[in-house]
Amino acid sequence: MRIDHLKPLNYLESECQQMQLISDRISRLRENDNLEEAARAVLKHSGELKRPYLTAVEEKLLSLIEKEYGVDER
C-alpha cells in the first residue's frame, strides 16, 4: 500500500497515549497462556476498537480479566 492511500486518523496526542495504555494492558494479558476463550474474545474485541477510550462496561471487563489473571492494571 502506498502512503498516499492512507488517510489520517487525526487523534490528539492524549488520545494516542490512552490508546497505547489500552494496548499495553491487552498485550500483558495476551502473554498469559492460560487465558480462557471468553477472555480472549474480550481482548480481541478491545484490541479492534477504533476509539481512544473504553466504555464503562469494557473497562470493567478488562479490569476483571486483569484481576482474574493477576495482571497489574497499569
Side-chain angles (χ1 to χ4, degrees), residues 14 33 48 67:
S14 61
D33 294 330
E48 294 172 349
K67 183 178 178 181

Side-chain angles (χ1 to χ4, degrees), residues 5-55:
H5 290 164
L6 300 176
K7 66 178 186 178
L9 297 176
N10 297 322
Y11 287 120
L12 300 173
E13 180 66 26
S14 61
E15 292 173 324
C16 290
Q17 290 172 347
Q18 186 62 31
M19 290 175 78
Q20 185 62 52
L21 289 174
I22 294 168
S23 175
D24 291 346
R25 291 172 69 188
I26 292 169
S27 294
R28 281 193 297 272
L29 283 164
R30 284 187 174 158
E31 292 172 1
N32 187 320
D33 294 330
N34 298 320
L35 283 179
E36 294 182 17
E37 291 279 330
R40 288 193 187 282
V42 170
L43 296 178
K44 182 179 185 310
H45 166 75
S46 298
E48 294 172 349
L49 296 174
K50 301 212 182 339
R51 52 184 153 77
Y53 62 89
L54 298 174
T55 65

